[in-house]
C-alpha cells in the first residue's frame, strides 16, 4: 500500500516487477557521500546550483536530505520510453552558523560591544545584557552561506521558458535582493508575490545578496497535513514498546494515510498489544466541529491492516496500517515488543550503542484517491511521504570482555591439564629402589665416570698439543 | 573407611559443635576488617578513564567573554522570578529558551506521599543536534530548588546561557535536553518516568516533546544569588536511588575535566577538606556506603540512574576564586566529551566505592566483605540445623576405635555396602526426626508480619508518623515476649523446634543478604553488621548447658522441657542471662537503632520516616522493604527465641 511504482509501466512489464523495500536506518555522514550524488548530475557539480553543494556546508546543515527518484516516462505519442532521474537535496541552514568562515568555525562569543541588549531591564549596565530577539531579517548572500558563488548555469535546454529559469528564490517581493553577476540576467517575479526566478548565463559567477532588512510580512509557510512522532517506551533488557503519535492539525478535513513499520527481526512486536486510540486535540475547536467529531472518535481508526511476521535472521516484520484520522485529533498508536538475544557474533563492533530501527514511513492519501489506492492498482503521481525519526533500540548486550576471560581461564585449565597429562605420559615410573643412580653403589659409579671423563679430556688436550 | 569414620566421629565431636559461633564472629570481624583494608594503596586503585572515545579535556572551551554579560542578565531574570508563581516562571523560562531557538515544552506533575502533596511543573527545551538523527540525547539539568530547598539561581541561569551558547555549535551529534524541574527529587523523577512512559498518566503529564535514548545527564547546583559567588571546589554527587551508581567513566571525566583542564578541585561525599590520608579515605568510603545504603535521592541526577542513564550532579562549594564561567566551561567540556561517545557508557565500572575523587575500589575487591558477613548467618544456621538433628543421649564416640572388644559390647549395627561390612555404633546411626512445620510456619508468619510496618509507614501521613513510630517501637519491644508466651501455650514447641526456627530465620537472612550484596552492597553490609548480634544470639542461648541436652526429664512441666531442665541445672542465672540478652537484643532492634541514628545525626524521627515514605512512593527506594521484610522479621524471630528462654518457658 505504501509504495507503488511511479511513472508509466505497461501491463506486461507490471507482472514481472517486484517491489523491493530496504532500509539502512543509520549511516554516519561523510563529506564523501556527496561525490557519487554529484556525479549523476549533467554538470557534475561544476556549474548550476549544484556548484553550491559543498560537503562541508551540506553536512554542517541543521537538517539535510538527499533523494534520487527514478521513473520511466513514456511519451503519449508512443516514442521510446526514457528514464527520468530526479535528484533532490534539501537542507536547513542556520545562517548565522553558515556565515562563519570555514577556517574559523568556532562559535566564539561575540564582542561585548556587538551585543544587542534590552535596555529597558533595570539591571542593564556595563556587565549585564539581556539579549534581544532579532526582529530584522538577517543579511546573507550565496557566497557567504555556501562559501562560493554560483558558478554559472548548467543549461539543459536552449529554449526560453520555465525550464531555462534555473535559480529561484522564495522570499516576499518586498525583500530586497541584489544580484551580482558580470553578465545580464533575466529576472522574473511570479505573481504569487513570493517567488522570483533568474535565468543566468553559463560560465559566469552569480551571487545573490540579501541585506539586513525589516519586513512587514513573512513568507506564508505551508502547513503539513500530518504531524508524526514516534518513540520507544519502557526500559530494561527484555521488553519495550513503541508509541507513535500522529496529529491531524487540520480543523476541517480528515486525513487518510498508510503507516508502514518495517522492524528488524530481533524486535518482535506483539500484535495483540497494538492499540490505536484517538483523542481530540487540546486546541480549542469551534462548536460546529465538536458534534460530528464524536462519531468517528469511537470508530476504529484502523481501516485495513497488512502484517507479515518476521522470520529470525531472514526477514523483518512488515506492518502496514491504513488509518483515517478525523480533523483536529491525535492518534496514539502503541504496541509492545520483545527484544531477542542475538548470537554473539551477530553484534556489531559498537554493540553498546544500540540497534537502529528504521523510521516509519507514512504515505498520505488524498481523499479522492484513497478509494482507488486501497485496492492497490491505481497509478498515482507523486505521493506525499513522511518519515519519522529512526529509533535506537538497546538490546541486551553481553559483556564482550567475558569471552576473553573465559578463553583465558579455559586456556589456563587446558594448559594445566595438558601439562600434567603430558608429564604422566612421557615419564617412566619405577620403584625407588629399582632406579639406577641412587644409593652408594651408584655414587661410586658416578665418581668413577666423572674421573674417566676428566681423564679423557686431559688426554684430548694432550693430543691437540702434540 | 577409617577416614570416613573419623569424619563421622568429628561430626559428633562436641568441640566442633561449639565452633560455629566463633566462626560466625570471625567472619563478621574479617568482613568488617576487610572494609578497613580497602582505603590502603594496595587495595584501592587510581581512577582512570576507560572509554577511549571520551577524551576528557581535549577540547578548547570558548564559553566566556560576552556570554558572561548574558549570564548575569539571566541571573537577574531568575532572581526576579523567585517570588512569582509556577505558571509565570515556567512561561518566562520557556520564553528565554524559545528566544534561543529551541523547542520548549512543560510537564505538570503531582505526587501524594506521606500525606503530603508535591506538585510542580517541569520546563524543558530540546536542542536538536545538527549532526544528530534524534536517536540519542544528553540532559543538562538545573533544578529550580536544590536538595536543601535553596533557589538554584546561578545554576538555572547557567543552563539558560549554555542553551543559548550550545545552539551556536554545529558539533553536536546528540540532542541536548535542558531541563529545569521545580524541585530536585520529584520533578526529575516525574520527567524521567514520563520520558520512558513509566508514569501514571493520572497524576503526571506525558511529555509532549521527546528526543532519543538518554545517554547521560548532568545536573548543576549553584545556588548563588543575583550578585554571584565565587566557589572553591566542585562537589560531585553520584549516588543514585537504591545505591545504584553511574558509570565510573562519567565521574572520572567530570573529575579530570574539572581538576585537569579547569583547575577546580573536586570533592565527594561532603568531605570538604580531603588530604588523602587513610582516615579520610575511610571516612569518605563509609559516607558513600551509608548514602548508598539508605538508597535515597542525593540530587536531581539520582532519578535517572535506575533507567540506566548515567548521571551526576556538580555542586559548587566553599569560597574560592572560580566563577560561574569556569563552571560553564567545565559543563561545556563535559558535554563535548559526552558528545564524542559512540556507544552508551559501558566501559568502566558500575559497582565501585569511591574514597577520594581519584581513588576507588571495584566490586571484586570489596564484595567478599559483605559476603563474609552474610555467610556468618548461614554458618550459624547450619550449626543450628546440625544441632537440631542431634540425638539426645551422647554417643560414645571414639571409644570403639581404640578398643574393638569394647565396641562389640556396645549396641552396634552391621552395615553392609558394596560387599564390605562395617560395625557402627547404633547411636551414631540414630536419626532424630526434625519437626519442621511449626518453625517454617512461624518464620513465614514473621516475614509476613513485616508487611504490616511497611504498609503503615508508607501510608501514614507525616503528622502521625512520630506517634506511629513510637507505637511500633513499643510493640516491637513487647511483641516477642508475648509471641513467646503465646507460642508456648498454644504449641509447646520443643527446644529442637526453637532451634529450627532460629535456623530457618538465619538461613533466610543469610540468603537475602548475599543476594542483596550484589545489588546494593552497602545496604547488605549495613543490615548485616547491624544484624550481626542475631547470628550470635542462638549460640548464647544454647551455650547454657540445658539447650543441648534435651527432652528427657521433666515432661510434667508441660511446656518446653529444656527450660525446666535449665532451671534445674543453671537455676535463675540462666534466666537472668537471657533477660539481659533480651534487653541487649532490644537495643539492636531496627526501631531502637533508627532512634539512635536519628539522635546521633540530630534528625527528627518523623521527618526521617516521612522522607523514607516519600522516597518509597516517588522514587521506588526499597530500603524500607529490606528493613521491614528482611531485617525486622529476623530480629523478631531471634527475640522470640530469647524471650522464650528468658521467660523460662
Amino acid at each position: 500500500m505504501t509504495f507503488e511504482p511511479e511513472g508509466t509501466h505497461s501491463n506486461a512489464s507490471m507482472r514481472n516487477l517486484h517491489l523491493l523495500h530496504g532500509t539502512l536506518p543509520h549511516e554516519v555522514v561523510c563529506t564523501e557521500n556527496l561525490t557519487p550524488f554529484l556525479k549523476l548530475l549533467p554538470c557534475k557539480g561544476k556549474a548550476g546550483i549544484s556548484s553550491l553543494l559543498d560537503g562541508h556546508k551540506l553536512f554542517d546543515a541543521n537538517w539535510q536530505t538527499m533523494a534520487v527518484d527514478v521513473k520511466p516516462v513514456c511519451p503519449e505519442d508512443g516514442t521510446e520510453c526514457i528514464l527520468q532521474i530526479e535528484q533532490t537535496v534539501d537542507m536547513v541552514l542556520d545562517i548565522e552558523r553558515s556565515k562563519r568562515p570555514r577556517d574559523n568555525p568556532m562559535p566564539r562569543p561575540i564582542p561585548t560591544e556587538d551585543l544587542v541588549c534590552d535596555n529597558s531591564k533595570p539591571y542593564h549596565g556595563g556587565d549585564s545584557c539581556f539579549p534581544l530577539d532579532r526582529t530584522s531579517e538577517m543579511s546573507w548572500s550565496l557566497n557567504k552561506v555556501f562559501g562560493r558563488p554560483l558558478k554559472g548555469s548548467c543549461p539543459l535546454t536552449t529554449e526560453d521558458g520555465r525550464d531555462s529559469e534555473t535559480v529561484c528564490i522564495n522570499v516576499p517581493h518586498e525583500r530586497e535582493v541584489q544580484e551580482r553577476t558580470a553578465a545580464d540576467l533575466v529576472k522574473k517575479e511570479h505573481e504569487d508575490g513570493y517567488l522570483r526566478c533568474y535565468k543566468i548565463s553559463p560560465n559566469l559567477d552569480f551571487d545573490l545578496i540579501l541585506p539586513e532588512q525589516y519586513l512587514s510580512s513573512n513568507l506564508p509557510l505551508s502547513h503539513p497535513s500530518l504531524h508524526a512522532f514516534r518513540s520507544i517506551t519502557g526500559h530494561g533488557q527484555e521488553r519495550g514498546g513503541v508509541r507513535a503519535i500522529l496529529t491531524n492539525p487540520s480543523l476541517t478535513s480528515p486525513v487518510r494515510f498508510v503507516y508502514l513499520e518495517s522492524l528488524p527481526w530481533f524486535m518482535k512486536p506483539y500484535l495483540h498489544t497494538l492499540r490505536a486510540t484517538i483523542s481530540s486535540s487540546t486546541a480549542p475547536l469551534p462548536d460546529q466541529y465538536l458534534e460530528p467529531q464524536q462519531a468517528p472518535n469511537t470508530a476504529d481508526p484502523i481501516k485495513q491492516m497488512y502484517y507479515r511476521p518476521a522470520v529470525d535472521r531472514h526477514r523483518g516484520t512488515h506492518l502496514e496500517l491504513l488509518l483515517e484520522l478525523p480533523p483536529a485529533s491525535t492518534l496514539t498508536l502503541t504496541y509492545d515488543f520483545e527484544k531477542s538475544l542475538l548470537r554473539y557474533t551477530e553484534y556489531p563492533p559498537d554493540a553498546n550503542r544500540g540497534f537502529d530501527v528504521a523510521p516509519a514511513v507514512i504515505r498520505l492519501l488524498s481523499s479522492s484517491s484513497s478509494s482507488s489506492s486501497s485496492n492497490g492498482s491505481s497509478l498515482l503521481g507523486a505521493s506525499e511521504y513522511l518519515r519519522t525519526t529512526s529509533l535506537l533500540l538497546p538490546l541486551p548486550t553481553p559483556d564482550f570482555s567475558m569471552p576473553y576471560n573465559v578463553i583465558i581461564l579455559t586456556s589456563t585449565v587446558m594448559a594445566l591439564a595438558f601439562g600434567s597429562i603430558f608429564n604422566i605420559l612421557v615419564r617412566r615410573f619405577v620403584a625407588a629402589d629399582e632406579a639406577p643412580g641412587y644409593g652408594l653403589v651408584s655414587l661410586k659409579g658416578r665418581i668413577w665416570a666423572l674421573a674417566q671423563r676428566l681423564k679423557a679430556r686431559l688426554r684430548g688436550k694432550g693430543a691437540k698439543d702434540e | 573407611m577409617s577416614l570416613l569414620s573419623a569424619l563421622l566421629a568429628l561430626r559428633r565431636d562436641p568441640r566442633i559443635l561449639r565452633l560455629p559461633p566463633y566462626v560466625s564472629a570471625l567472619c563478621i570481624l574479617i568482613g568488617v576488617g576487610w572494609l578497613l583494608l580497602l582505603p590502603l594503596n594496595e587495595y584501592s586503585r587510581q581512577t582512570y578513564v576507560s572509554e577511549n572515545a571520551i577524551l576528557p579535556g581535549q577540547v578548547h572551551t570558548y564559553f566566556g567573554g560576552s556570554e558572561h554579560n548574558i549570564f548575569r542578565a539571566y541571573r537577574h531574570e531568575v532572581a526576579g522570578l523567585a517570588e512569582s508563581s509556577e505558571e509565570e516562571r515556567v512561561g518566562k523560562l520557556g520564553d528565554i529558551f524559545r528566544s534561543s531557538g529551541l523547542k520548549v515544552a512543560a510537564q505538570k506533575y503531582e505526587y501524594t506521599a506521606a500525606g503530603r502533596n508535591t506538585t510542580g511543573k517541569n520546563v524543558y527545551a530540546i536542542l536538536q543536534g545538527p549532526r544528530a538523527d534524534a536517536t540519542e540525547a544528553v540532559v543538562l539539568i538545573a533544578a529550580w530548588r536544590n536538595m536543601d530547598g535553596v533557589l538554584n539561581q546561578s545554576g538555572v541561569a547557567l543552563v539558560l546561557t549554555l542553551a543559548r551558547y550550545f545552539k551556536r555549535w554545529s558539533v553536536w551529534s546528540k540532542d541536548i535536553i535542558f531541563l529545569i524541574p521545580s524541585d530536585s527529587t520529584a520533578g526529575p523523577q516525574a520527567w524521567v518516568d514520563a520520558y520512558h512512559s513509566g508514569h501514571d498518566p493520572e497524576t503526571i503529564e506525558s511529555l509532549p516533546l521527546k528526543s532519543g535514548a538518554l545517554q547521560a545527564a548532568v545536573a548543576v547546583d549553584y545556588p548563588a544569588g543575583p550578585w554571584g559567588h565565587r566557589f572553591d571546589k566542585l562537589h560531585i554527587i553520584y549516588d543514585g536511588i537504591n545505591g545504584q551508581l553511574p558509570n565510573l567513566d562519567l565521574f572520572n571525566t567530570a573529575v579530570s575535566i574539572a581538576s585537569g583542564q579547569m583547575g577546580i578541585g573536586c570533592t565527594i561525599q561532603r568531605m570538604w577538606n580531603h588530604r588523602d590520608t587513610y582516615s579520610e579515605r575511610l571516612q569518605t568510603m563509609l559516607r558513600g556506603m551509608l548514602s548508598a545504603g539508605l538508597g535515597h535521592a542525593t540530587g536531581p541526577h539520582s532519578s535517572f540512574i535506575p533507567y540506566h542513564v548515567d548521571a551526576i550532579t556538580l555542586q559548587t562549594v566553599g569560597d574560592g576564586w572560580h566563577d560561574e564561567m569556569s563552571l560553564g566551561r567545565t559543563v561545556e567540556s563535559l558535554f563535548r566529551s559526552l558528545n564524542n561517545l559512540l556507544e552508551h557508557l559501558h566501559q568502566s565500572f558500575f559497582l565501585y566505592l569511591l574514597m577520594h575523587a581519584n581513588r576507588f575500589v571495584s566490586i571484586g575487591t570489596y564484595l567478599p566483605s559483605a559476603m563474609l558477613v552474610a555467610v556468618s548467618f548461614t554458618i550459624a544456621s547450619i550449626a543450628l540445623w546440625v544441632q537440631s538433628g542431634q540425638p539426645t543421649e551422647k554417643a560414645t564416640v571414639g571409644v570403639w576405635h581404640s578398643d574393638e572388644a569394647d565396641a562389640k559390647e556396645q549396641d552396634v549395627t552391621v552395615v553392609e555396602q558394596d560387599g564390605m561390612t562395617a560395625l557402627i555404633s547404633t547411636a551414631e546411626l540414630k536419626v532424630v526426626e526434625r519437626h519442621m512445620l511449626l518453625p517454617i510456619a512461624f518464620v513465614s508468619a514473621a516475614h509476613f508480619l513485616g508487611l504490616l510496618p511497611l504498609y503503615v509507614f508508607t501510608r501514614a501521613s507525616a503528622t502521625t508518623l512520630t506517634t506511629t513510630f513510637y507505637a511500633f517501637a513499643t510493640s516491637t519491644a513487647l511483641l516477642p515476649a508475648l509471641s513467646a508466651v503465646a507460642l508456648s501455650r498454644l504449641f509447646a514447641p520443643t527446644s529442637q523446634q526453637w532451634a529450627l526456627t532460629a535456623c530457618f530465620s538465619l538461613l533466610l537472612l543469610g540468603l537475602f543478604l548475599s543476594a542483596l550484596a550484589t545489588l546494593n552492597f552497602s545496604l547488605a553490609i549495613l543490615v548485616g553488621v547491624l544484624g550481626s548480634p542475631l547470628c550470635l544470639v542462638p549460640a548464647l542461648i544454647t551455650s547454657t548447658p540445658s539447650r543441648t541436652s534435651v527432652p528427657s526429664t521433666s515432661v510434667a512441666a508441660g511446656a518446653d522441657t529444656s527450660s525446666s531442665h535449665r532451671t534445674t541445672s543453671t537455676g535463675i542465672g540462666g534466666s537472668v542471662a537471657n533477660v539481659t540478652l533480651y534487653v541487649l537484643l532490644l537495643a539492636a532492634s531496627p526501631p531502637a537503632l533508627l532512634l539512635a541514628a536519628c539522635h546521633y545525626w540530630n534528625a527528627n524521627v518523623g521527618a526521617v520516616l516521612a522522607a523514607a515514605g516519600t522516597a518509597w512512593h516517588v522514587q521506588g527506594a526499597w530500603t524500607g522493604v529490606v528493613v521491614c521484610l528482611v531485617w525486622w522479621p529476623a530480629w523478631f524471630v531471634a527475640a522470640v527465641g530469647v524471650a522464650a528462654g528468658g521467660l523460662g518457658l
Side-chain angles (χ1 to χ4, degrees):
Chain A
M1 284 191 284
T2 313
F3 297 105
E4 282 170 9
E6 289 181 12
T8 355
H9 298 276
S10 68
N11 277 338
S13 64
M14 273 298 272
R15 248 175 273 128
N16 298 327
L17 288 181
H18 295 280
L19 174 66
L20 299 176
H21 172 230
T23 46
L24 178 65
H26 176 77
E27 193 182 351
V28 182
V29 290
C30 168
T31 49
E32 279 307 304
N33 289 13
L34 192 61
T35 318
F37 185 84
L38 289 180
K39 279 196 176 150
L40 289 173
L41 291 170
C43 298
K44 312 249 186 272
K46 297 278 191 290
I49 201 156
S50 62
S51 64
L52 292 177
L53 291 179
D54 169 19
H56 293 278
K57 288 293 179 191
L58 175 61
F59 297 117
D60 195 36
N62 268 355
W63 186 85
Q64 84 271 346
T65 76
M66 297 196 294
V68 181
D69 295 293
V70 183
K71 63 180 177 190
V73 175
C74 294
E76 293 286 321
D77 53 7
T79 50
E80 210 177 328
C81 294
I82 51 166
L83 276 182
Q84 181 186 337
I85 299 184
E86 190 182 332
Q87 286 180 266
T88 326
V89 174
D90 294 312
M91 53 206 283
V92 178
L93 285 170
D94 183 338
I95 293 182
E96 202 179 333
R97 197 165 69 212
S98 304
K99 272 163 58 181
R100 269 181 232 137
R102 199 168 139 183
D103 54 343
N104 185 15
M106 299 302 165
R108 289 176 209 283
I110 44 176
T112 315
E113 50 277 14
D114 294 352
L115 278 178
V116 186
C117 300
D118 185 352
N119 298 335
S120 64
K121 295 283 175 188
Y123 50 77
H124 176 73
D127 63 347
S128 302
C129 171
F130 187 82
L132 271 185
D133 288 346
R134 177 182 288 277
T135 49
S136 64
E137 291 294 308
M138 223 177 277
S139 73
W140 60 275
S141 68
L142 288 181
N143 197 359
K144 273 191 181 153
V145 168
F146 292 98
R148 54 177 106 163
L150 203 65
K151 300 252 190 303
S153 69
C154 179
L156 296 180
T157 170
T158 47
E159 299 154 32
D160 284 347
R162 240 192 109 94
D163 284 351
S164 64
E165 293 165 358
T166 47
V167 180
C168 292
I169 180 166
N170 203 358
V171 289
H173 280 300
E174 67 173 301
R175 182 92 161 99
E176 188 188 344
V177 179
Q178 302 162 3
E179 304 85 18
R180 185 162 301 164
T181 178
D184 293 339
L185 57 90
V186 184
K187 176 173 152 189
K188 184 179 171 197
E189 298 198 350
H190 286 248
E191 305 81 55
D192 62 357
Y194 297 104
L195 188 70
R196 52 188 115 176
C197 289
Y198 301 95
K199 183 184 175 187
I200 57 174
S201 62
N203 314 326
L204 282 174
D205 283 2
F206 172 77
D207 196 3
L208 285 174
I209 297 161
L210 288 88
E212 187 167 344
Q213 193 181 6
Y214 289 90
L215 285 188
S216 54
S217 69
N218 272 324
L219 191 67
L221 295 172
S222 65
H223 288 285
S225 40
L226 189 71
H227 293 287
F229 172 73
R230 192 171 70 138
S231 67
I232 281 191
T233 61
H235 68 291
Q237 309 249 295
E238 198 188 353
R239 289 209 169 78
V242 168
R243 192 172 64 170
I245 299 172
L246 304 147
T247 311
N248 181 3
S250 155
L251 291 179
T252 49
S253 55
V255 59
R256 268 171 86 88
F257 57 93
V258 183
Y259 179 87
L260 164 71
E261 284 266 28
S262 47
L263 305 174
W265 66 265
F266 44 79
M267 183 176 168
K268 296 192 170 103
Y270 294 129
L271 213 60
H272 71 277
T273 59
L274 182 73
R275 298 269 181 284
T277 46
I278 289 188
S279 57
S280 52
S281 295
T282 47
L285 293 171
D287 281 340
Q288 64 264 34
Y289 294 118
L290 280 175
E291 284 313 310
Q293 206 193 315
Q294 296 303 325
N297 265 6
T298 50
D300 189 8
I302 302 180
K303 302 293 172 205
Q304 214 178 328
M305 181 152 78
Y306 174 77
Y307 173 64
R308 198 173 65 152
V311 178
D312 274 7
R313 297 183 174 78
H314 288 292
R315 65 162 198 233
T317 309
H318 184 95
L319 175 66
E320 271 183 289
L321 302 171
L322 178 66
L323 298 162
E324 191 172 270
L325 196 50
S329 54
T330 302
L331 171 75
T332 311
L333 201 66
T334 56
Y335 58 85
D336 294 346
F337 62 84
E338 192 187 65
K339 304 174 180 182
S340 55
L341 259 178
L342 300 185
R343 294 183 187 137
Y344 94 102
T345 47
E346 286 169 341
Y347 286 93
D350 56 349
N352 281 288
R353 182 180 175 270
F355 291 75
D356 287 281
V357 178
V361 183
I362 297 162
R363 179 188 178 191
L364 296 171
L365 305 170
S366 57
S367 42
S368 58
S369 68
S370 60
S371 54
S372 57
S373 71
S374 56
N375 58 37
S377 62
S378 77
L379 297 177
L380 286 167
S383 300
E384 199 180 339
Y385 286 101
L386 289 180
R387 280 176 170 79
T388 62
T389 54
S390 61
L391 299 174
L392 199 61
L393 172 74
L395 281 189
T397 313
D399 176 5
F400 285 104
S401 68
M402 203 183 72
Y404 163 80
N405 295 338
V406 170
I407 288 168
I408 287 195
L409 203 73
T410 44
S411 307
T412 314
V413 170
M414 273 167 64
L416 284 175
F418 174 78
S420 45
I421 289 172
F422 184 75
N423 195 0
I424 291 168
L425 284 180
V426 300
R427 181 164 291 183
R428 192 160 58 92
F429 286 94
V430 288
D433 49 350
E434 292 169 24
Y438 291 97
L440 266 179
V441 188
S442 63
L443 194 67
K444 209 167 140 192
R446 257 194 222 175
I447 292 166
W448 179 246
L450 207 67
Q452 288 292 320
R453 254 181 22 223
L454 270 172
K455 216 184 251 178
R457 198 177 281 178
L458 283 172
R459 209 176 286 162
K461 265 188 183 170
K464 258 184 199 168
D465 288 344
E466 284 167 12
Chain B
M1 207 63 218
S2 65
L3 185 73
L4 195 70
S5 54
L7 276 178
L8 271 174
L10 210 58
R11 201 175 62 150
R12 295 292 159 87
D13 196 329
R15 281 168 301 183
I16 285 284
L17 285 178
R18 237 178 280 135
L19 217 53
Y22 297 102
V23 177
S24 285
L26 193 69
C27 277
I28 293 170
L29 280 181
I30 295 178
V32 175
W34 194 295
L35 282 183
L36 301 180
L37 283 182
L38 292 177
L40 294 176
N41 274 342
E42 286 77 13
Y43 297 91
S44 57
R45 276 192 275 170
Q46 189 83 26
T47 57
Y48 57 96
V49 175
S50 182
E51 172 69 85
N52 288 326
I54 289 181
L55 300 172
Q58 297 293 304
V59 293
H60 202 88
T61 53
Y62 293 91
F63 186 68
S66 62
E67 302 293 336
H68 206 161
N69 298 16
I70 295 170
F71 169 81
R72 288 195 197 96
Y74 283 161
R75 196 168 54 192
H76 282 293
E77 288 294 316
V78 171
L81 288 173
E83 302 298 323
S84 57
S85 70
E86 190 111 59
E87 290 299 322
E88 196 185 336
R89 188 188 80 212
V90 167
K92 180 76 188 161
L93 293 175
D95 285 345
I96 294 180
F97 276 131
R98 232 170 261 124
S99 73
S100 310
L102 305 175
K103 285 187 183 174
V104 184
Q107 178 210 20
K108 261 190 193 154
Y109 63 87
E110 182 181 345
Y111 283 108
T112 311
R116 284 177 302 197
N117 262 6
T118 318
T119 57
K121 199 168 182 184
N122 298 328
V123 57
Y124 66 100
I126 297 183
L127 161 61
Q128 284 167 329
R131 305 279 168 91
D133 51 359
T135 54
E136 295 168 296
V138 279
V139 191
L140 179 58
I141 313 160
W144 185 253
R145 291 190 182 279
N146 69 5
M147 288 302 282
D148 307 324
V150 183
L151 193 63
N152 184 12
Q153 292 191 6
S154 295
V156 173
L158 189 65
V159 166
L160 294 173
T161 322
L162 281 172
R164 188 186 169 81
Y165 169 72
F166 282 173
K167 176 75 181 152
R168 302 217 302 269
W169 278 99
S170 63
V171 294
W172 303 118
S173 63
K174 291 170 178 44
D175 287 359
I176 299 175
I177 303 177
F178 302 94
L179 169 64
I180 302 186
S182 29
D183 65 1
S184 279
T185 50
Q189 188 68 42
W191 189 85
V192 75
D193 281 348
Y195 197 91
H196 295 91
S197 304
H199 62 297
D200 174 15
E202 295 286 309
T203 53
I204 299 162
E205 270 185 358
S206 298
L207 297 184
L209 204 61
K210 279 194 204 176
S211 178
L214 300 183
Q215 303 290 312
V218 176
V220 181
D221 179 8
Y222 189 15
W227 307 109
H229 173 81
R230 285 173 181 259
F231 63 93
D232 179 35
K233 275 179 187 163
L234 273 185
H235 180 217
I236 300 179
I237 315 173
Y238 56 91
D239 317 83
I241 311 284
N242 290 331
Q244 286 170 307
L245 299 170
N247 195 287
L248 191 56
D249 265 345
L250 179 65
F251 175 84
N252 287 343
T253 311
V255 170
S256 93
I257 287 172
S259 55
Q261 194 183 13
M262 304 296 158
I264 308 173
C266 291
T267 174
I268 51 171
Q269 301 295 352
R270 298 172 178 275
M271 297 290 290
W272 309 136
N273 292 303
H274 200 305
R275 290 182 306 276
D276 206 11
T277 58
Y278 171 82
S279 61
E280 277 162 332
R281 281 186 187 177
L282 185 67
Q283 203 181 347
T284 315
M285 190 184 81
L286 292 179
R287 282 182 184 198
M289 283 172 59
L290 189 66
S291 170
L294 294 177
H296 62 325
T298 50
H301 68 283
S302 292
S303 318
F304 285 80
I305 296 177
Y307 285 96
H308 194 16
V309 180
D310 304 297
I312 50 169
T313 295
L314 305 177
Q315 187 183 31
T316 58
V317 290
D319 299 310
W321 53 274
H322 300 289
D323 65 350
E324 49 273 359
M325 287 292 118
S326 326
L327 183 60
R329 275 199 296 277
T330 310
V331 174
E332 181 193 354
S333 188
L334 190 54
F335 270 74
R336 290 290 303 277
S337 284
L338 291 174
N339 188 46
N340 286 342
L341 280 180
L342 297 174
E343 301 179 60
H344 200 282
L345 281 167
H346 69 284
Q347 282 274 1
S348 195
F349 298 92
F350 281 102
L351 301 159
Y352 51 84
L353 292 176
L354 282 167
M355 47 198 56
H356 184 242
N358 43 31
R359 226 169 165 87
F360 79 108
V361 274
S362 77
I363 183 163
T365 319
Y366 68 70
L367 192 63
S369 71
M371 286 301 177
L372 278 172
V373 172
V375 154
S376 73
F377 294 102
T378 314
I379 289 174
S381 142
I382 291 171
L384 282 168
W385 175 261
V386 170
Q387 217 168 57
S388 69
Q390 266 197 337
T392 46
E393 63 261 28
K394 289 271 174 204
T396 47
V397 195
V399 188
W400 66 290
H401 289 292
S402 49
D403 196 339
E404 289 278 316
D406 217 20
K408 270 174 197 152
E409 279 166 28
Q410 280 186 9
D411 187 9
V412 293
T413 311
V414 181
V415 179
E416 272 188 63
Q417 197 181 1
D418 301 338
M420 286 182 284
T421 314
L423 291 177
I424 299 173
S425 156
T426 312
E428 277 193 43
L429 286 177
K430 203 163 151 191
V431 177
V432 178
E433 199 184 343
R434 293 184 176 94
H435 301 278
M436 297 202 287
L437 181 66
L438 181 66
I440 289 180
F442 179 58
V443 171
S444 324
H447 280 82
F448 278 111
L449 197 62
L451 285 173
L452 194 70
L454 183 67
Y455 182 82
V456 168
F457 284 125
T458 50
R459 296 296 153 122
S461 73
T463 45
T464 57
L465 265 176
T466 316
T467 39
T468 316
F469 173 75
Y470 285 114
F472 171 67
T474 323
S475 56
T476 299
L478 297 178
L479 202 59
L482 295 177
S483 314
V485 174
L487 271 180
S488 315
R489 288 283 142 78
L490 286 177
F491 303 105
T494 59
S495 69
Q496 186 213 46
Q497 281 173 327
W498 283 120
L500 279 176
T501 310
C503 162
F504 292 143
S505 157
L506 289 176
L507 190 70
L508 266 181
L509 184 60
L511 202 72
F512 280 138
L513 288 185
S514 49
L516 187 64
T518 56
L519 299 171
N520 188 350
F521 166 82
S522 312
L523 183 58
I525 199 159
L526 215 63
V527 172
V529 170
L530 292 178
S532 57
L534 304 184
C535 82
L536 304 176
V537 159
L540 287 176
I541 308 173
T542 47
S543 63
T544 52
S546 57
R547 268 282 154 134
T548 40
S549 58
V550 180
S552 49
T553 44
S554 52
V555 193
D560 183 359
T561 45
S562 71
S563 48
S564 43
H565 194 119
R566 182 191 300 127
T567 7
T568 52
S569 61
T570 56
I572 304 300
S575 255
V576 168
N578 278 329
V579 169
T580 326
L581 195 61
Y582 187 70
V583 172
L584 284 178
L585 202 57
L586 268 186
S589 70
L593 287 173
L594 178 64
L595 213 58
C598 286
H599 183 73
Y600 180 76
W601 276 291
N602 232 342
N604 179 10
V605 181
V608 169
L609 286 170
T614 314
W616 158 256
H617 279 292
V618 177
Q619 280 136 347
W622 31 255
T623 315
V625 179
V626 172
V627 171
C628 291
L629 296 186
V630 176
W631 185 16
W632 187 81
W635 179 87
F636 178 71
V637 171
V640 169
V642 175
L647 291 170
L649 297 169

